[in-house]
Amino acid sequence: MLTVKDLQKVYNGTVVVNIPELTIQAGEAIGLVGNNGAGKTTLFRLILDLIRPTKGEVYAKDVNVAKSEDWKAYTGSHLDEGFLIDYLTAEEYFKFIGDLHGLSDGDITERLLPFMDLFNDEILNQRKYIRDFSKGNQKKIGIAAAALSNPELLILDEPFANLDPSSQIRLKNLLRHLRDQKRMTMLISSHDLSHVIEVCERILILEKGQLVQDMQTNENTLRELETYFTV
Amino acid sequence: MLLTLLTHQWKADVRSSVFQKGLALNIIMGLLILYFGGIFLFLGFHIDDILLKVFPSQDPVAVFNGGMLYYFLMDLFFRFMLQEMPVLAVQPYLHLPVGKNKLVHFVLVKSVFSFLNVLPLLFMVPFMVSAVVPAYGVGIALVWLLALVALTLCNNFVLLYFKRQLAAKPLYTLAFGVVVSALMLLDYFDLLSLNVASRAAFGQLLLQPWLVAVPLLLVAVAYTFNFRFLKEHTYPEELQVRKATKVSGSNIAFLSRFGEIGKLIELELKLIWRNKRPKSTLFTAAFILFYGMLFYKEPYMDGYAMLIFVGLMMTGMAMFSYGQFVPGWQSTHFDALLTQRISIYQFLKAKYWMFLAVTLFAYLVTLPYGLLGYKILIINTVALLYNIGVNVFIIFYFSAYNTSRLDLSRGSAFNWQGVGASKFVMMLPLIIIPLLIYMPFGLMDVPYVGLATIGGLGLLGLIFQKQLLQWSARWFRKHKYKLATGFRQSE
């Protein structure tokens, strides 16, 4: 699904991301963990062709993402509020994204159904613009919009941040549902170790732009991670 | 404490992005300030001579005094248009152990240092020195100045109060506006002379200096009103000028017929309508439509170059002033557009059709000017063709350099946020190139061949529209990383 080759991003002489090789199979759910400044968001931006790599390439389905826009058809993503069009209402935004993927109004309503628990009656029919929602609710809108097209590849940066505990648990179940039912390939970064190992079957640890560990999730993973991050 | 708050404010101003824009812009801004400051200073020193020439038999101080009431009413009007509410900056202090009174005083005192209050001093002080002091002596002149400053500040606080009420009690503000307009109307129909009233009031002041207590009292009253109101409403959500209104989502059915391009146009129309800055940019551009009234008369009607300029401006101003920020309007969600199924070609094509529509609209609106002469009709048609055939692509070319993030929530008047030197550079070729093309034909005295050339170029641009758009898209794609990086940096 996704191949990273010899990828490097350098800002003013500082290497922010340096990944010689990484392959992600279709249907895999990957959790990306690492302290602040480890390069998680930069890596996502490189994968989404939002910044130009200093060196190396990212291939989605064996096509270089910087050379062709084919990946946009099967990729859903939400990194930050810059992904939202903040002067639209939530409904208008969903409709806009839906239209781009050729979804009818009925399709959109149906695909938002699994999100109703997560939305908690605070997103739809609020009669206000996205810029007037709270951070947490903006995040929910972004995640729902990213998953709206049933993308083969779903990329989320810190989806659990800013959410209340109930929402976090609901989101976790939702992501597992998407993974199991729709066989979505997922790339999720998080600071919440326990959530991320419940959603993801493979964990990557990033440190100072380097991939330092690549492990399959098992019953010991949480302990290993906690040991790793205990300084 | 007040001093600490003011130094914080000073730092906020000095460290704001406006001053860190680069040398070229600072020089241009400096020149503008010098220019306007110079005009005011010049006026201040020479207004007594000018008044003496215009009203030879009258005392210049009396004439000046007669104009003061008009001035203060005009001042109120400009303040209503331009003055910003100095409010939100207290938010970071509200949870700290700082007295509410202090914060409110701070907000009010801060508003005194606005340029609307400082600028008038530039001509009041010189006038005082050159005209009032010789006639009445230093002491009385200072009292006179104090009264004017007090009235300026009174305007400042009165306006702040009513502008704040605008959200909560619009009827108050309406009543205030009615009173001001009624005064103007009464004066216009000679039922009540503001001139006479103004002369009498300020004349008395010069004779009986203790009357300065009246304007001072007015300031105190206006200040107290503001203070009380703010004190009771120190909660950030209540201080916000914009009232949260219920909005309803809507779709423009007509546009959805045009597929993805229609969708993008709809999105952009919503952007314009729902954000303050693009809306005010377009409203300002609409004023250019009246340019014809200034220029369609002798001696301009004999020549061509001036009329070409006017034609280009009238048909193209909306496109120029909106276009100079493209794609900065989308800066807050540029990442979203890049990761969605929209190609850059579609993005630019939507813009192209919008520019086409708005330019055509401006052309149709200015069509009646053609009654003043068929020449105007021909020139405006040529300008229309050139604007939508050539200038639109020049705008797309320069758009690749607009890497600064745009804050859409503030009005466009005197707003330098997101304005770079490239903006000034790009406006020039839009106007100068067609004039340069025309010049040799004008010199050879074959103006219509020149017009045909400009129009022909525009027509060529229309015919090769698709190729030119594709070329623009390639150019834009080359610069997209730079643009996206720039837009992620909020100032």
Side-chain angles (χ1 to χ4, degrees), chain A residues 33-88:
Chain A
V33 295
N35 291 329
N36 291 335
K40 302 184 294 288
T41 308
T42 309
L43 176 59
F44 284 164
R45 289 205 173 117
L46 285 165
I47 292 172
L48 292 169
D49 189 35
L50 290 173
I51 49 182
R52 196 198 306 271
T54 312
K55 212 175 99 190
E57 300 92 26
V58 176
Y59 295 92
K61 295 192 175 176
D62 299 324
V63 182
N64 189 336
V65 293
K67 295 274 154 55
S68 143
E69 299 188 278
D70 293 348
W71 57 271
K72 290 184 182 178
Y74 56 82
T75 307
S77 54
H78 182 73
L79 301 194
D80 52 41
E81 54 272 30
F83 278 55
L84 297 169
I85 302 179
D86 65 356
Y87 56 86
L88 296 181

Side-chain angles (χ1 to χ4, degrees), chain A residues 33 193-194 196-197 203-205 213 215 220-230:
Chain A
V33 295
L193 301 175
S194 67
V196 79
I197 56 167
I203 303 288
L204 305 175
I205 301 181
Q213 280 204 47
M215 49 176 139
N220 297 324
T221 312
L222 184 58
R223 221 167 343 111
E224 286 173 33
L225 285 176
E226 278 173 352
T227 324
Y228 178 86
F229 283 108
T230 309

Side-chain angles (χ1 to χ4, degrees), chain A residues 4 8 23 28-29 31 50 54 60 63 68 70 83 95 128 134 137-138 143 152 163 167 174 177 191 204 207 214 220:
Chain A
V4 170
Q8 244 188 48
T23 308
E28 248 184 334
L50 290 173
T54 312
V63 182
S68 143
D70 293 348
F83 278 55
K95 171 114 178 70
K128 60 180 178 182
S134 70
N137 282 336
Q138 285 184 351
I143 294 169
E152 293 172 51
L163 296 187
S167 296
L174 192 69
H177 167 83
H191 289 311
L204 305 175
E207 192 183 306
D214 183 346
N220 297 324

